[in-house]
Amino acid sequence: MQNVDRIETEPQETGRWREFNSWIERNFNYECYITYLSGCYSCKWEAKQKEPRRPLCCCSLIDQLFYPWLIAAFCLTVLLLFVWIESSNEYNGFNWVVFLGTGVWFFWSLVLLSLFWILAIYTSFLLALGLLLCWEGRELSLHWCHKVLILLVVGICSFFFWLLFTYWKERWLTIGLSLQVFAPYIHLGSISMMVMVAWPVAFYVIHLEGEAKIRRYKITSNERRRNKMCNMITKLRALQVAVVLPFFLILLCLYVVPWGNHSPCIQEKDKLGPKPSFFGHRGAPMLGPENTMMSFEKAVEEGAFGLESDVQISYDKVPFLMHDYNLRRTTNIMEVLPNASLRNPTVFYWDFLSTLNAGRWFSHSWIRPFYHMKPLSEADREKASKQKIPKLMELLKLAQREKKLVIFDLNAPPPRHPARYSYIHLVVSEILDSQIEQHLIAWLPGSERDYIKDRAPGFQHVGTFYTLEELAKQNITRINVDYKRLYYNGLREYKAANISINLYIINEPWLFSLAWCSRIQSVTTDNIQVLNKINHPYYFMTPNFYILMWILLDCASAVFIVAIFYFHWWRESQSEKVLKGISSYAGKVRGLMDSHLFIPTHCLRIQGFPLMFLTRVQGV
């Protein structure tokens, strides 16, 4: 007579995971693969043997609580990187602001860009390692060094976001403008990405379904074990919902998001306005030293409609061209008079200012004002090295000769300056003495407009972000505003009132394309040599083309996603049939064992499918 004391069953890998891991084993060394994942993630480099896969990842409570911090760090770094990339139009201004505080000119914007890239890559790498370990059913045990670094990354990102929200709030308007341009392409690309993500989502969800069915088959009459199995099945179902529900909600949002999308670059071709004209910002500062005659001549050669500059008054009442509050950055005053390098340029006499070199910093320094500017030719390098600070009179004569519009910022002299209260009168007299045609002057300063209209009635008066009532009262038909103002309804009310709009400072082609699609009349730019070659706005498409692409991509993605889920369900159903056959065969084996006719002592396998291992079968 035979007595079977106990039959122990041990869960093995289901067919889906077995096939996937077999693919890994065929192409990689599985032990090295797992060791590398664990080593990078937890700094434990001991060789990892292949173990039965666990359906849910086991890890300590601390690691369970810390993984959301890793996800948060990843999201923050990616968002910060995106914000800074989209702020590339402001890199030169940022470098200048940092220069004012440090006294050192460098590409500080690129330093931050590199830092944000490193942080984003680091958090992405750790997140990917964690997901792969979960995929393999391994324990998540993040090393304490990584935990400290992740908290540090969160702190760094939070600090920069605080700076943006506190001191650079308008930067978010640039992000909004970039979304107006790129939103249609981000939408179409996101749907394509969801199709690719559907494969691992379907794989994992259907696998969880298989795990639940295996546990359902294993429910026995033992009440305690039955409750344990039911709890595990409930957890598997909850995990399925947690994976599938966000996926389909995001997909649904992507399918309907074009209904709320507005992009100026989506319009009919016949409604596209003329190409905006250009004001050279301080000339052409990527081709010659800013605010020098070489720079303005280069701007004229590149087809500038107007020339923009900054005017200051010397101590002996000579108007000259200079932007900065001191002479350190654009002249050689550190060599000539280092003790006075931090003094305001208006405290010097013109006889001294005229002796300073204003171009050697541009031609010979290895650090250029713009990181993407082209190298100078030998002739331009020689010419730039001889540039001096020009008078306003020199710019006016060039504009008169070339018939170019002139617009400038006029800085008031400091207190106790001899021209403190007469600087506007001095500049107007200088302009009239130059014999330039008055309609070529776009008068931007807002002070003493009544005096200007009386003394020089031919000047074109330019306002800033005034209300329509103020513009009408002062009879102003042109405004000069920051390009970020375009975010507010595209300055629609000003265009409806026939107000000409000039935006400053636009250097990036995508931003220029947005201004073009928004029917802006002119832009002030540092990058005239590139923007002037754009013959059609970038990222432009007609509404019918976008709708066609939207519908086709939605339909195609829905078909692909359904097909992917069906394929994985079909593969799992094939494994389920094999499992049922094995279970039926195992039942017969148990019957034979109970009738004392057969005692199996080996592992049953059908089509390579491991089911159970029978042990501790004892005697008569």
Side-chain angles (χ1 to χ4, degrees):
M1 190 111 183
Q2 266 187 340
N3 294 322
V4 181
D5 289 347
R6 185 178 63 179
I7 300 176
E8 294 182 353
T9 62
E10 182 179 347
Q12 300 291 331
E13 292 178 344
T14 62
R16 306 302 311 285
W17 287 100
R18 177 178 54 78
E19 293 174 5
F20 179 76
N21 285 334
S22 297
W23 176 84
I24 292 179
E25 291 176 354
R26 286 195 305 269
N27 295 275
F28 306 99
N29 186 313
Y30 186 82
E31 292 183 6
C32 292
Y33 169 69
I34 296 297
T35 302
Y36 175 78
L37 293 181
S38 300
C40 293
Y41 193 82
S42 60
C43 296
K44 297 177 181 177
W45 294 95
E46 298 85 359
K48 303 291 182 180
Q49 301 295 330
K50 187 175 181 180
E51 301 173 356
R53 189 188 175 280
R54 292 168 288 192
L56 297 174
C57 180
C58 295
C59 57
S60 66
L61 180 60
I62 295 178
D63 285 291
Q64 291 180 20
L65 295 176
F66 197 83
Y67 201 72
W69 282 93
L70 176 57
I71 297 175
F74 167 75
C75 295
L76 287 174
T77 53
V78 171
L79 178 60
L80 190 60
L81 177 62
F82 172 76
V83 169
W84 197 243
I85 289 175
E86 294 303 293
S87 300
S88 58
N89 192 76
E90 302 291 330
Y91 283 177
N92 187 66
F94 176 80
N95 294 336
W96 180 73
V97 170
V98 178
F99 168 78
L100 293 181
T102 63
V104 178
W105 181 267
F106 192 67
F107 297 138
W108 302 107
S109 55
L110 296 187
V111 172
L112 283 185
L113 182 64
S114 302
L115 173 63
F116 298 154
W117 266 114
I118 292 172
L119 296 182
I121 292 173
Y122 172 69
T123 55
S124 303
F125 180 66
L126 284 184
L127 187 63
L129 289 177
L131 292 176
L132 289 174
L133 287 172
C134 289
W135 184 282
E136 294 295 332
R138 300 288 174 162
E139 180 180 0
L140 290 180
S141 179
L142 191 63
H143 195 267
W144 66 268
C145 288
H146 287 314
K147 292 178 180 178
V148 171
L149 289 176
I150 288 299
L151 294 177
L152 184 61
V153 168
V154 172
I156 291 174
C157 293
S158 300
F159 171 73
F160 279 107
F161 277 119
W162 174 78
L163 288 179
L164 287 175
F165 280 112
T166 305
Y167 299 104
W168 221 0
K169 294 180 181 179
E170 290 190 343
R171 186 59 44 241
W172 300 105
L173 300 181
T174 303
I175 305 306
L177 292 175
S178 70
L179 291 178
Q180 289 184 14
V181 176
F182 300 116
Y185 299 90
I186 294 175
H187 165 240
L188 298 177
S190 298
I191 293 179
S192 302
M193 183 66 66
M194 292 299 288
V195 174
M196 292 186 285
V197 172
W199 185 272
V201 169
F203 185 95
Y204 193 64
V205 169
I206 301 300
H207 163 71
L208 292 177
E209 181 67 24
E211 293 279 359
K213 289 180 179 179
I214 289 176
R215 278 157 178 78
R216 190 180 300 112
Y217 293 147
K218 290 177 58 179
I219 292 179
T220 65
S221 58
N222 186 300
E223 188 66 25
R224 182 176 180 181
R225 187 169 183 179
R226 178 187 297 272
N227 293 334
K228 183 177 180 180
M229 287 290 184
C230 290
N231 290 336
M232 180 58 71
I233 292 174
T234 302
K235 291 180 180 180
L236 291 172
R237 295 299 187 198
L239 189 56
Q240 280 182 297
V241 173
V243 173
V244 170
L245 186 60
F247 175 80
F248 282 105
L249 287 178
I250 294 173
L251 187 64
L252 179 62
C253 292
L254 290 175
Y255 280 165
V256 301
V257 74
W259 287 341
N261 180 35
H262 168 71
S263 174
C265 292
I266 299 178
Q267 59 177 289
E268 300 295 344
K269 292 183 178 180
D270 56 355
K271 294 183 179 180
L272 182 65
K275 180 179 178 180
S277 52
F278 299 98
F279 280 89
H281 184 236
R282 307 174 199 168
M286 294 188 187
L287 303 177
E290 66 178 60
N291 278 328
T292 63
M293 295 311 299
M294 176 184 177
S295 182
F296 293 116
E297 290 167 359
K298 289 290 184 180
V300 171
E301 292 175 7
E302 294 295 333
F305 168 74
L307 304 174
E308 188 275 344
S309 185
D310 307 274
V311 176
Q312 302 196 44
I313 311 295
S314 68
Y315 201 77
D316 51 347
K317 301 182 180 181
V318 177
F320 66 96
L321 308 183
M322 177 62 60
H323 172 266
D324 289 8
Y325 306 120
N326 58 61
L327 300 168
R328 286 184 302 168
R329 184 173 67 91
T330 59
T331 72
N332 63 335
I333 194 170
M334 289 293 292
E335 302 173 4
V336 177
L337 199 63
N339 293 335
S341 61
L342 296 178
R343 299 177 67 183
N344 193 294
T346 60
V347 303
F348 297 100
Y349 287 92
W350 174 247
D351 287 344
F352 172 75
L353 293 172
S354 62
T355 63
L356 296 176
N357 186 290
R360 192 177 302 133
W361 67 276
F362 183 89
S363 60
H364 290 80
S365 175
W366 66 276
I367 299 178
R368 305 295 179 84
F370 299 89
Y371 70 93
H372 56 281
M373 58 182 288
K374 295 181 179 180
L376 298 177
S377 65
E378 192 60 35
D380 285 343
R381 184 187 297 273
E382 181 67 20
K383 184 176 182 180
S385 65
K386 298 178 180 179
Q387 294 299 302
K388 302 291 185 178
I389 299 175
K391 293 181 179 180
L392 173 61
M393 181 67 72
E394 297 177 66
L395 174 61
L396 296 173
K397 290 182 178 180
L398 174 65
Q400 170 63 26
R401 184 171 66 249
E402 302 293 340
K403 305 301 179 184
K404 301 298 181 182
L405 211 62
V406 175
I407 187 171
F408 53 83
D409 289 316
L410 180 55
N411 299 323
R416 299 183 181 180
H417 191 281
R420 171 67 176 179
Y421 302 105
S422 61
Y423 67 99
I424 291 180
H425 297 233
L426 282 172
V427 171
V428 172
S429 298
E430 186 88 352
I431 294 173
L432 296 178
D433 291 345
S434 69
Q435 301 298 314
I436 188 174
E437 299 173 37
Q438 292 189 14
H439 69 89
L440 294 179
I441 300 297
W443 185 266
L444 181 60
S447 302
E448 301 190 41
R449 285 193 183 271
D450 292 336
Y451 166 80
I452 305 300
K453 291 178 181 179
D454 181 66
R455 183 78 190 278
F459 286 4
Q460 298 187 47
H461 286 263
V462 181
T464 54
F465 202 56
Y466 298 156
T467 64
L468 291 175
E469 292 75 13
E470 291 174 318
L471 293 176
K473 183 179 178 180
Q474 300 186 33
N475 196 25
I476 296 176
T477 59
R478 183 191 296 268
I479 60 173
N480 182 59
V481 296
D482 191 335
Y483 73 90
K484 291 182 282 295
R485 296 291 183 178
L486 194 62
Y487 180 80
Y488 301 107
N489 298 321
L491 299 172
R492 192 178 306 158
E493 62 276 13
Y494 291 92
K495 289 183 285 187
N498 293 322
I499 301 295
S500 296
I501 302 170
N502 180 74
L503 299 180
Y504 64 88
I505 301 167
I506 290 181
N507 294 330
E508 295 297 318
W510 71 264
L511 199 53
F512 175 71
S513 299
L514 178 63
W516 189 345
C517 294
S518 301
R519 304 182 68 86
I520 298 300
Q521 286 76 23
S522 61
V523 299
T524 300
T525 180
D526 298 310
N527 201 15
I528 186 173
Q529 71 280 1
V530 171
L531 301 187
N532 197 33
K533 295 177 181 178
I534 298 177
N535 297 319
H536 193 269
Y538 294 170
Y539 314 107
F540 180 87
M541 67 174 72
T542 61
N544 291 335
F545 178 77
Y546 179 51
I547 292 174
L548 177 64
M549 292 297 297
W550 167 33
I551 295 176
L552 287 178
L553 195 58
D554 281 5
C555 295
S557 64
V559 170
F560 273 110
I561 290 173
V562 170
I564 289 171
F565 273 83
Y566 177 80
F567 172 76
H568 285 290
W569 173 83
W570 176 80
R571 291 284 298 274
E572 189 68 28
S573 65
Q574 298 301 309
S575 299
E576 182 182 347
K577 290 179 182 179
V578 175
L579 178 62
K580 289 181 178 179
I582 295 175
S583 300
S584 176
Y585 182 74
K588 294 179 181 179
V589 170
R590 291 191 184 94
L592 291 174
M593 291 170 59
D594 291 339
S595 62
H596 318 297
L597 298 176
F598 184 74
I599 304 178
T601 59
H602 61 280
C603 181
L604 295 175
R605 290 179 180 270
I606 295 180
Q607 296 181 1
F609 195 104
L611 175 66
M612 63 181 69
F613 191 78
L614 307 181
T615 60
R616 295 185 63 182
V617 181
Q618 294 183 351
V620 180

